[in-house]
Amino acid sequence: MSRIATLRTLGPLVPPSDGRIARPEPKRADPFYQSREWRELLARIVAARGRRCEDPAHDPRYPRDGIRIFGDHVRELRDGGAPLDVANILLRCGACHARKTVDERAERARTTSDGKGVSRPAAACV
């Protein structure tokens, strides 16, 4: 009989107590985005504007048209954005939506522990 080597794992990586490599929790979609009101509003916006990424920072190497589009709140709901305000919604491709989400999370991570955030200009819909 041959012996089969058994691999052992070290278990999950535990970040240092100072949080240097702490990862944010995965983003979970708010149930609001499954509502009839949101879906109807998004359908009207896509019909009016077209299925096109509107992000001003969109990478020109990638197509803006004919791709999967996300309705994204310019000012996020958790930051006080109006949920059904057409002026607060920008159509974004997946890459632009992900970039904006990462930027927003980074901004929140810079918030001090007393709840006072870093000041930033209000976002505007283009």
Side-chain angles (χ1 to χ4, degrees):
M1 275 189 230
S2 64
R3 293 186 65 140
I4 299 174
T6 303
L7 297 176
R8 294 183 187 182
T9 63
L10 298 175
L13 176 65
V14 178
S17 60
D18 65 2
R20 287 179 290 153
I21 61 170
R23 295 183 190 180
E25 291 184 28
K27 183 175 178 178
R28 290 184 173 81
D30 188 297
F32 163 76
Y33 295 107
Q34 300 301 319
S35 72
R36 181 181 52 82
E37 294 84 6
W38 171 253
R39 288 176 182 244
E40 287 176 357
L41 177 64
L42 191 55
R44 285 196 311 270
I45 291 172
V46 170
R49 300 181 194 172
R51 188 169 293 279
R52 183 172 206 277
C53 182
E54 300 173 323
D55 194 307
H58 180 84
D59 188 337
R61 295 176 297 170
Y62 301 105
R64 282 186 184 263
D65 299 300
I67 54 177
R68 184 173 181 197
I69 292 295
F70 295 85
D72 186 50
H73 286 95
V74 175
R75 181 168 181 167
E76 293 189 15
L77 300 181
R78 71 186 299 175
D79 295 331
L84 298 172
D85 180 4
V86 175
N88 189 40
I89 298 167
L90 202 61
L91 299 176
R92 297 183 198 265
C93 66
C96 290
H97 184 263
R99 178 186 35 78
K100 189 249 184 182
T101 299
V102 167
D103 291 348
E104 290 292 321
R105 284 184 175 185
E107 186 69 28
R108 279 192 204 97
R110 288 190 284 272
T111 304
T112 60
S113 62
D114 63 3
K116 296 178 182 173
V118 176
S119 63
R120 63 179 174 194
C125 184
V126 176

